[in-house]
Amino acid sequence: MNLHVTAELDGPITTNPVVREDVVRLVDLKRRFGATPALDGVSLTVQKGEILGIIGRSGAGKSTLIRCLNGLERPDSGEVFIEAREISRLGERDLQPLRRRIGMVFQHFNLLSAKTVEENVALPLKIEGRPRAERLARAAELLQLVGLSEKAQAYPASLSGGQKQRVGIARALAARPALLLSDEATSALDPETTRSILALLKDINARLGLTILLITHEMEVIRSIADRVAVIDAGRIVEEGAVWQVFANPKSEITRSLLGAIRPQLPPEIASRLAAGEGAETILRIDVAGQAAHGPLLSDLSAAVPGPFRLVHGGIDHVQRQPVGTLFLSVPGTDAAHLAAVIAFLKDRDARVEVLGHVASPV
């Protein structure tokens, strides 16, 4: 079997020990709509220069969270700090200059159809009262950054979806924000265009040191560019950590479910035959990451634990330049001691092992 390895768009792991500044800090944020808690005690931070992905299913609280961040929604309790300033109790007049420190990228672009690309990008500066020459110079600079200089005088109707999102990103950067909020920015795009937009965001993060908070329901978006991930469910952060670590060892059921679309799964023809009790073969799921995934795990297992086993499915991916793998092994026979020795060896190599069940005949 070929083990598929993918490293496209993966960013470096941050090992810099220098204490970093929090651009966003949320403290025990709560917001209810009637009897329904949209946010139920959310606390998290986004550090300067990092990309944090917040992922959850529809209705998990993502939209309410992002509206609290830009001041469009006021929490019932808790605190929202942007660049060390608490904003949840500010009046509209005081919120306006703060909102200029936050750029927004939307799922459906939100471009003004009657204005040119150049005018759309320069709009935040026009609202701010900047001189025309300054606005146009900034728009030209940003259109070059996003690769659309030749479209400055075009109108949104003539652009592709990916081009419209590039304009949206340029516009979000116009006022030189400290924080970029991306609200499902790639959900309306095809896979190839999505990859190009994510690569652009990663490049902007690297070039400008811009802090980015991604709201998404797609784990592939998180895998591609985020440094850390926070999983939200029913208004609570249920899991948080470096992306590769969460991918390697998801703690919550919702995280495992969200990862199901991009991590190897037991083929249906085998899964449908699984049963409890004894059988001709035992099926194991093995999750490995980091150093455990670097070495010849199966070769070492074969040498250390004499007896049969077979790789029936799985592969190794790379997340943040760290190998993360899921393998499915079949261990034939009913020798409990042999099975226990296989499991013990794998666990001793820092692998996470789960007995999925047994099949009555060889797979």
Side-chain angles (χ1 to χ4, degrees):
M1 177 196 304
N2 293 324
L3 301 185
H4 178 62
V5 177
T6 302
E8 183 182 9
L9 297 182
D10 288 336
I13 300 172
T14 300
T15 56
N16 190 342
V18 176
V19 176
R20 300 173 70 179
E21 173 188 346
D22 291 340
V23 175
V24 175
R25 184 161 65 92
L26 306 180
V27 182
D28 198 23
L29 212 60
K30 296 182 179 181
R31 182 73 170 103
R32 300 180 72 89
F33 296 101
T36 304
L39 298 176
D40 192 12
V42 170
S43 296
L44 59 81
T45 61
V46 188
Q47 296 178 331
K48 185 175 182 179
E50 82 165 335
I51 301 178
L52 173 68
I54 297 181
I55 188 167
R57 292 171 173 160
S58 296
K62 303 189 301 295
S63 297
T64 303
L65 178 59
I66 207 167
R67 288 174 65 82
C68 287
L69 281 170
N70 60 22
L72 295 177
E73 193 80 54
R74 294 186 184 275
D76 298 325
S77 63
E79 297 173 304
V80 180
F81 292 90
I82 304 293
E83 294 188 297
R85 186 176 184 187
E86 211 288 319
I87 72 164
S88 65
R89 296 164 185 84
L90 294 180
E92 191 62 28
R93 177 179 294 182
D94 292 328
L95 274 173
Q96 288 305 319
L98 184 136
R99 286 195 181 116
R100 288 195 285 271
R101 301 291 294 156
I102 302 173
M104 285 288 302
V105 184
F106 303 95
Q107 178 181 358
H108 296 296
F109 322 128
N110 290 14
L111 302 180
L112 299 180
S113 60
K115 292 187 177 294
T116 65
V117 164
E118 179 184 69
E119 290 169 334
N120 269 279
V121 173
L123 184 61
L125 300 179
K126 183 175 183 180
I127 294 172
E128 198 174 326
R130 299 297 181 89
R132 173 179 168 80
E134 180 184 341
R135 302 197 306 262
L136 296 182
R138 180 63 172 159
E141 175 187 345
L142 290 169
L143 288 174
Q144 181 176 15
L145 177 67
V146 302
L148 288 179
S149 295
E150 76 284 358
K151 297 292 185 179
Q153 300 308 313
Y155 286 87
S158 68
L159 304 180
S160 67
Q163 289 171 333
K164 289 177 183 177
Q165 196 55 284
R166 286 173 181 268
V167 175
I169 292 170
R171 179 185 58 191
L173 298 176
R176 293 182 170 84
L179 173 67
L180 183 67
L181 299 180
S182 172
D183 187 9
E184 300 280 8
T186 59
S187 294
L189 304 175
D190 62 75
E192 182 178 356
T193 305
T194 291
R195 286 191 292 271
S196 72
I197 294 298
L198 294 176
L200 175 61
L201 289 174
K202 187 69 176 178
D203 182 60
I204 289 170
N205 167 258
R207 288 195 194 192
L208 307 181
L210 182 64
T211 306
I212 301 177
L213 191 151
L214 296 163
I215 299 289
T216 184
H217 65 276
E218 300 173 288
M219 269 295 185
E220 181 58 33
V221 171
I222 300 293
R223 190 204 72 83
S224 296
I225 67 168
D227 300 310
R228 287 192 302 124
V229 58
V231 182
I232 188 169
D233 186 44
R236 291 178 174 270
I237 302 297
V238 298
E239 191 159 358
E240 182 182 357
V243 171
W244 78 271
Q245 291 175 330
V246 172
F247 273 47
N249 188 20
K251 298 293 195 300
S252 70
E253 182 58 38
I254 181 65
T255 307
R256 288 191 288 270
S257 176
L258 290 166
L259 282 169
I262 63 173
R263 293 289 304 278
Q265 302 296 314
L266 191 65
E269 62 271 20
I270 300 177
S272 64
R273 296 169 54 192
L274 288 177
E278 294 186 353
E281 300 193 13
T282 302
I283 306 298
L284 303 179
R285 176 185 175 121
I286 302 153
D287 292 305
V288 290
Q291 191 59 41
H294 272 298
L297 181 66
L298 299 186
S299 296
D300 290 348
L301 171 62
S302 181
V305 184
F309 68 87
R310 292 185 296 109
L311 175 67
V312 296
H313 190 60
I316 303 292
D317 197 358
H318 276 72
V319 181
Q320 294 181 302
R321 296 185 179 178
Q322 285 287 329
V324 176
T326 298
L327 308 173
F328 295 92
L329 290 190
S330 169
V331 182
T334 58
D335 185 343
H338 175 240
L339 178 62
V342 168
I343 294 173
F345 175 88
L346 294 169
K347 288 184 175 180
D348 189 55
R349 293 296 185 92
D350 295 323
R352 187 163 61 91
V353 184
E354 179 184 358
V355 176
L356 297 181
H358 307 269
V359 292
S361 57
V363 297

